[in-house]
Amino acid sequence: MTDAIDQGATPPAGSALRLHRELSEIWRTGPGLQRLAAVNHSILGIRFMVTALAFFAIGGVLGMLTRVQLATPMSAFMDVGTYNQVFTMHGSIMLFLFAIPMLEGIAVYLTPKILGTRDFAFPRLTAYGYWCYLFGGTILTVSLLAGVAPDGGWFMYTPLSSNVYTPGINADVWLLGVTFVEISALTLAVEIAVSTLTMRAPGMSLDRMPVFGWYMLVTAFMMILAFPPLILGSILLESERAFGFAFFDPTRGGDPLLWQHLFWLFGHPDVYIIFLPMAGLLSTMIPVLAGVPLAGYRAIIVAIIGLAFMSFGIWVHHMFTVGIPHLALAFFSAGSAIVAVPTAVQLFAWLATLAQGRPRWNVPMLYVFGFFSTFVIGGLTGVMLAIVPFDWQAHDTYFVVAHFHYVIAGAVAFPLIAGLYYWLPLLTGRVAVYRLSVPAFWLIYIGFNLTFFLMHLVGLLGMPRRINTYPDFESWTFLNMLSSVGGFIMTIGFALVVVDLIAQIRYGRRIRRDPWHAATLEWAMPIPPAPYAFASLPHIEARADRINVGTLAPQLARGEGYLGATRNGWQETLGVHMTSGAPEQLIVLPRPTYLPLWTAIATAAAVLTMLAKLYPLTLAMAAVTAGLFVFAALNAGLDRDHGLLPVGRGVSVPVHTECAHPPAWWALVFTLIADGTLFTSLVFGLLFLWVAAPNWPPVAVPDTGLALSLVCILALAAAAFFARRALVRLVGRQAPRLFIALAALALLVAIGVAVVLIGGIVPRPSDHALGATAAALLTFLALHAGIGLLFLLVATLRLASGRAGPTRTIDLRLARLWIDYTAITGALAVGLVLALPALVALLGMRP
Amino acid sequence: MSAALPGRTHAPEDPARPFPMRDLWWLVPGFALWFTALSTVYALHHIGCTFGWSARTIHLGLAAALAIHLAAIGILCRIELRRGASRDFGHTGRFMHWVILGTLLAALGKVVLTLAPALFLSVCL
């Protein structure tokens, strides 16, 4: 392409139809099998949601099977082994394959539209995340059909999930399948955070961002921080099951409670990770349905930030009965109860909004009402369970089952259905003509309360969780039967919703514009949305949830906003300053490609070969996956400099490849935050075992090679130094290859030394938890140094192909950042391994 | 129309400097300090009990940890109050100042309410 073409892209005010045709051609996804190459956020968002609904149906059927089993005492409907698989998969599917992916689907579909941009920052990553989710979910579901599904409860507690008590592959399926799905969650979390911060409509400063954007931003950071502890726990437990490493075995210095800590460090925030996006939907819908702006915008933002942090500090309230010291119980109890405050801030803000306005009693509002009543009940029973003496009585009874179904269903099901009815006109271009949704609501609402409210009572009468049958107690029997009847009523209601939605999609009345008189940007586009979302991007000069859709939409369609013309066949959108929303860079997005699908297939193959214990093949598949990532990186970006390009409204900005901080930079920063959480969790694990686990100190005296350890640290420091020098030379228009080679050599030395150190660990990782944690720390180092090598490889190849250069330095900047991080965490890891003998000696001072 | 289209400069209606990106991190320290206070108190109590420290020593340690965290959040509040008065980052700056101060004050209250009563309880039970 020529500069003339670049400069000729000054957006004229053109005809809306011509612009639509040109943009549609550029942004389109091909028909037939080419759909597998889709990277567009609208397509992927819908796929996420539809797939999540399919898993919801599967999970729902499993839930109904448990209710059939428990409807009568001494039931022979399912044997105990099948029942264990069914209730474990019900919980796992609902949490990992429905709730989280559904919120991801909503985020993928709605966030770019509400924020006034054309797509997310990394469309190929979104597609990879979707395929990982689909394949991981399929592995889990197929295991159920094969009779080898996980059967240790959705939290997979050790020692039940250890080799001794679960010798088959049931637990491996959970550990590997769920971790696979979590890759999807983490990639999307990074994507949401980067996109929300850097890809809003121009002028949309943080104070003008719709509250939905804040909810998604906070949720994304929660996912970045919450998932790593569970990923770490799954890796440690799988390594114990596969290789005999002693992390959770108390006879070898491990501790089952370490699993509980790691699991609930994820598990408790996960409740809010699910709740907050749904609260975001409510905060977007309620003002529209009430006809007034949202009350307490700033207070809500403080509340959701507070809620996010608090959710990480109260994980112990799931462990009140495991023998935590009373003093600690006291402050974890207080912390758990206080979580009600930021939640209440949001509830009162919604009530105040409704009180100020004139609410419309339509279908979405009906489900909002359902949310209020169920969520408040769930919240109040949560406060009851936060009080330690009550928790001791109710722990592991059906009271807890009732509580979390009220919270999760109240927080997810009702807002979700409200949101479906609210945004379905946007997705389909049709509005409902039938009223099936009203009887469906009452069936769900009555069925839900009948099912789960009675569980409070049966729980208070002492019925424990997870039992497959029970004796014929008169009080339990009647309540269980009613619960099961309620479950079937609720299911009929959900089925009616599905019928109603299909009827709306197929036979609903066609509409062209916003049917709700909403004031957010997603309605200022063609309905249903074109693949490019906005024909041109708006300039925001006030709160972006108070816009006049009727005036703005035709202007944008005529190309009167930013990027109102096509250029070079590029899929263009704008990157903005994080806080002010000022345009900073022109982001050119990748076209449809099969690469995400192939990469996900390779990743799935790695997981499956690990399940089959074919470890050499696993390594090969992991190498293929890494190779595909390298291949994807080679073709990213543009192959020459373009300088400043006009983007409309008299503004010119550089292409993202020529910027200091393109989205890829922030993605790596946020990825490192997630990785740092994983490393911190590992260090926590070591210190926890040191202080709390039985059978410490080990019989064998820890022995670490001091000289080799120092060589390892020096090699990492040298790699960081050489990577920096390489970048300096590139910016100074000098050849950086020598320093890149030296950095790679230093990383190879660090990897080699780490491998030697792992081989010489005393006590052996399979003999004692001390050796196992030392091996984990050094493996962390070696793995990160290896990834550093991949960064350097990509930089070298892109320099050779001309895609990187003195003005396009992002490859080396990413490599430098990664290697800096590796050097710091690697030095800490080696330092901790060196400190192990001293830590063990300290244990001798115990009374 | 509230979302007007024209605009030759980045933010024509707000001539103030943009709120610095690095200052977004100020949303973190309030509640992060609450979290570190919680973790420190939890760990200190556990370590003290494991190594047989006296009840008085453990209480003093917990009180010191709490006081340090309260002081740290208090200092941050003071800094933010001064910064808010002395810097002009327009409407975004005023908004962020309000939100940051809100998180700091909420975190201060949370530290006091959740951790201070624990100082008066028996240890190592």
Side-chain angles (χ1 to χ4, degrees):
Chain A
M1 297 296 167
T2 65
D3 284 332
I5 294 175
D6 286 345
Q7 297 305 320
T10 305
S15 111
L17 186 59
R18 191 183 69 231
L19 185 58
H20 167 71
R21 285 178 179 154
E22 290 174 4
L23 285 168
S24 295
E25 182 57 28
I26 291 172
W27 287 78
R28 81 186 184 94
T29 301
L33 281 178
Q34 292 177 50
R35 290 191 177 92
L36 298 176
V39 293
N40 186 274
H41 78 279
S42 289
I43 296 173
L44 293 170
I46 290 172
R47 280 184 191 170
F48 261 108
M49 289 189 274
V50 170
T51 311
L53 285 174
F55 281 118
F56 175 73
I58 296 169
V61 168
L62 297 177
M64 294 317 300
L65 291 178
T66 62
R67 284 319 315 166
V68 171
Q69 172 75 11
L70 295 175
T72 53
M74 306 306 291
S75 170
F77 178 66
M78 279 186 278
D79 62 72
V80 62
T82 308
Y83 181 80
N84 287 346
Q85 292 187 27
V86 165
F87 87 77
T88 298
M89 286 300 290
H90 166 69
S92 301
I93 285 177
M94 288 303 196
L95 263 297
F96 294 110
L97 303 183
F98 164 63
I100 296 170
M102 177 54 84
L103 80 87
E104 290 164 359
I106 291 168
V108 170
Y109 187 85
L110 273 185
T111 311
K113 297 180 177 73
I114 289 184
L115 296 183
T117 186
R118 283 176 170 164
D119 207 324
F120 265 154
F122 310 105
R124 295 184 296 179
L125 200 61
T126 316
Y128 175 68
Y130 171 73
W131 293 118
C132 284
Y133 159 52
L134 181 66
F135 295 152
T138 305
I139 290 171
L140 279 165
T141 310
V142 168
S143 74
L144 191 64
L145 299 175
V148 291
D151 55 359
W154 81 278
F155 29 68
M156 210 45 63
Y157 276 175
T158 56
L160 179 60
S161 56
S162 68
N163 264 337
V164 179
Y165 302 103
T166 307
I169 66 164
N170 307 57
D172 302 310
V173 170
W174 191 93
L175 294 168
L176 295 170
V178 167
T179 302
F180 192 14
V181 173
E182 282 161 7
I183 295 173
S184 156
L186 260 184
T187 55
L188 281 165
V190 170
E191 172 124 31
I192 294 165
V194 173
S195 304
T196 307
L197 282 172
T198 65
M199 292 177 67
R200 305 186 300 271
M204 190 189 285
S205 51
L206 286 178
D207 53 315
R208 292 171 178 166
M209 186 160 72
V211 74
F212 181 81
W214 277 101
Y215 273 105
M216 294 317 304
L217 184 62
V218 171
T219 305
F221 277 110
M222 288 182 73
M223 290 165 78
I224 286 170
L225 294 173
F227 279 89
L230 180 60
I231 292 175
L232 173 75
S234 299
I235 293 169
L236 298 187
L237 182 51
E238 185 56 27
S239 65
E240 179 175 294
R241 291 178 54 83
F243 309 116
F245 283 25
F247 292 108
F248 306 105
D249 179 359
T251 63
R252 294 180 287 157
D255 195 330
L257 285 186
L258 174 60
W259 170 263
Q260 292 199 27
H261 279 294
L262 292 175
F263 183 87
W264 289 116
L265 272 168
F266 148 81
H268 196 74
D270 188 43
V271 174
Y272 297 94
I273 286 171
I274 293 166
F275 166 64
L276 284 179
M278 298 303 153
L281 298 183
L282 291 165
S283 294
T284 307
M285 284 185 288
I286 287 174
V288 175
L289 300 176
V292 290
L294 180 67
Y297 174 80
R298 289 188 298 187
I300 285 181
I301 290 165
V302 174
I304 58 181
I305 293 171
L307 194 59
F309 276 99
M310 287 181 202
S311 71
F312 282 92
I314 52 177
W315 78 97
V316 170
H317 82 210
H318 296 270
M319 302 165 63
F320 278 166
T321 58
V322 302
I324 304 279
H326 287 197
L327 184 137
L329 290 181
F331 57 73
F332 279 115
S333 172
S336 302
I338 286 177
V339 162
V341 175
T343 312
V345 168
Q346 295 168 80
L347 281 168
F348 283 116
W350 296 327
L351 290 174
T353 308
L354 290 170
Q356 284 176 345
R358 294 174 62 86
R360 284 178 270 174
W361 269 103
N362 47 27
V363 172
M365 184 58 92
L366 204 56
Y367 285 91
V368 171
F369 158 76
F371 160 80
F372 275 122
S373 55
T374 52
F375 187 71
V376 168
I377 291 172
L380 291 176
T381 53
V383 174
M384 290 166 74
L385 287 167
I387 308 305
V388 177
F390 181 83
D391 183 81
W392 283 351
Q393 296 300 314
H395 185 81
D396 259 350
T397 70
Y398 260 83
F399 187 91
V400 178
V401 179
H403 155 67
F404 70 67
H405 276 91
Y406 264 89
V407 172
I408 301 287
V412 177
F414 288 104
L416 180 64
I417 300 176
L420 274 177
Y421 279 107
Y422 180 83
W423 275 288
L424 210 60
L426 179 71
L427 269 84
T428 62
R430 293 174 187 269
V431 289
V433 287
Y434 303 110
R435 299 286 292 171
L436 276 179
S437 44
V438 176
F441 167 79
W442 288 110
L443 284 171
I444 293 172
Y445 188 73
I446 293 166
F448 176 87
N449 283 291
L450 195 59
T451 308
F452 297 114
F453 189 81
L454 298 182
M455 285 185 189
H456 290 113
L457 306 181
V458 78
L460 290 175
L461 289 168
M463 181 167 165
R465 298 168 66 180
R466 307 182 203 104
I467 54 170
N468 70 313
T469 187
Y470 54 89
D472 189 8
F473 295 150
E474 194 172 326
S475 54
W476 290 14
T477 305
F478 177 66
L479 292 171
N480 270 302
M481 173 55 84
L482 271 184
S483 254
S484 296
V485 170
F488 278 92
I489 293 172
M490 181 171 56
T491 305
I492 294 167
F494 279 122
L496 216 51
V497 167
V498 172
V499 171
D500 191 49
L501 292 178
I502 292 171
Q504 180 172 339
I505 292 167
R506 185 73 183 83
Y507 304 109
R509 182 168 51 81
R510 286 186 183 278
I511 52 151
R512 292 194 61 214
R513 293 277 180 224
D514 168 26
W516 305 108
H517 308 294
T520 39
L521 282 168
E522 79 272 25
W523 298 103
M525 61 176 61
I527 293 177
Y532 53 80
F534 296 95
S536 60
L537 305 183
H539 184 91
I540 302 299
E541 292 181 345
R543 278 270 297 278
D545 53 3
R546 297 178 188 177
I547 62 164
N548 186 333
V549 169
T551 311
L552 182 64
Q555 291 178 321
L556 295 180
R558 289 195 298 269
E560 293 172 18
Y562 292 94
L563 300 177
T566 59
R567 164 174 33 211
N568 300 348
W570 287 349
Q571 292 190 171
E572 294 178 334
T573 191
L574 282 178
V576 298
H577 186 271
M578 273 192 194
T579 61
S580 71
E584 280 190 333
Q585 49 189 298
L586 176 70
I587 296 173
V588 182
L589 295 170
R591 305 293 283 271
T593 165
Y594 293 100
L595 210 50
L597 175 61
W598 288 118
T599 314
I601 288 172
T603 317
V607 170
L608 286 169
T609 50
M610 199 179 283
L611 264 178
K613 303 195 185 307
L614 304 169
Y615 299 120
L617 271 180
T618 305
L619 285 177
M621 285 300 115
V624 171
T625 306
L628 286 168
F629 272 111
V630 169
F631 181 72
L634 293 183
N635 298 309
L638 303 170
D639 56 4
R640 69 175 181 86
D641 294 340
H642 290 268
L644 291 177
L645 295 178
V647 293
R649 324 305 317 165
V651 175
S652 292
V653 294
V655 181
H656 73 280
T657 50
E658 296 165 40
C659 289
H661 295 112
W665 169 265
W666 293 110
L668 186 59
V669 170
F670 297 151
T671 304
L672 291 180
I673 291 173
D675 197 89
T677 312
L678 188 139
F679 181 72
T680 308
S681 304
L682 183 57
V683 173
F684 162 78
L686 172 65
L687 297 178
F688 175 80
L689 292 176
W690 170 62
V691 175
N695 289 315
W696 278 65
V699 177
V701 180
D703 179 27
T704 314
L706 179 61
L708 276 179
S709 300
L710 291 177
V711 170
C712 192
I713 292 173
L714 282 174
L716 290 172
F721 172 76
F722 291 134
R724 284 171 173 272
R725 289 299 307 161
L727 181 60
V728 168
R729 284 184 70 84
L730 180 65
V731 172
R733 297 181 182 276
Q734 294 172 298
R737 287 193 180 81
L738 173 65
F739 285 101
I740 292 177
L742 287 172
L745 185 65
L747 287 176
L748 279 171
V749 170
I751 293 170
V753 173
V755 169
V756 173
L757 283 172
I758 292 169
I761 286 173
V762 175
R764 304 294 307 147
S766 54
D767 291 342
H768 196 273
L770 186 147
T773 44
L777 285 165
L778 292 169
T779 305
F780 179 93
L781 183 163
L783 189 66
H784 282 68
I787 296 172
L789 283 174
L790 290 180
F791 270 103
L792 292 174
L793 174 67
V794 168
T796 306
L797 293 174
R798 284 173 59 85
L799 280 167
S801 69
R803 285 186 176 263
T807 54
R808 283 167 282 131
T809 57
I810 186 63
D811 303 280
L812 264 185
R813 289 158 57 78
L814 294 180
R816 190 202 67 183
L817 181 60
W818 181 271
I819 294 171
D820 281 352
Y821 171 82
T822 302
I824 293 167
T825 51
L828 284 172
V830 175
L832 264 172
V833 173
L834 281 173
L836 283 173
L839 285 174
V840 168
L842 269 178
L843 289 176
M845 296 165 64
R846 285 185 299 190
Chain B
M1 167 174 76
S2 55
L5 291 166
R8 289 181 175 276
T9 60
H10 289 174
E13 77 292 358
D14 186 13
R17 290 174 296 147
F19 185 80
M21 284 194 286
R22 64 177 177 279
D23 284 6
L24 281 179
W25 292 110
W26 274 78
L27 291 169
V28 174
F31 284 108
L33 278 168
W34 167 72
F35 186 77
T36 60
L38 183 87
S39 307
T40 307
V41 168
Y42 185 34
L44 206 60
H45 177 250
H46 209 121
I47 290 170
C49 295
T50 302
F51 288 98
W53 298 354
S54 70
R56 183 181 165 77
T57 309
I58 293 175
H59 271 129
L60 279 175
L62 299 181
L66 191 59
I68 289 167
H69 281 90
L70 284 173
I73 299 176
I75 290 167
L76 290 174
C77 282
R78 190 180 161 85
I79 293 172
E80 181 56 31
L81 276 169
R82 285 185 175 175
R83 288 190 337 157
S86 64
R87 304 193 306 176
D88 180 19
F89 293 122
H91 52 83
T92 310
R94 288 189 294 277
F95 166 79
M96 291 306 298
H97 173 64
W98 198 97
V99 173
I100 289 168
L101 206 56
T103 60
L104 289 169
L105 292 172
L108 195 68
K110 175 111 176 142
V111 171
V112 173
L113 284 171
T114 54
L115 296 174
L119 295 179
F120 301 99
L121 299 175
S122 305
V123 295
C124 302
L125 287 177

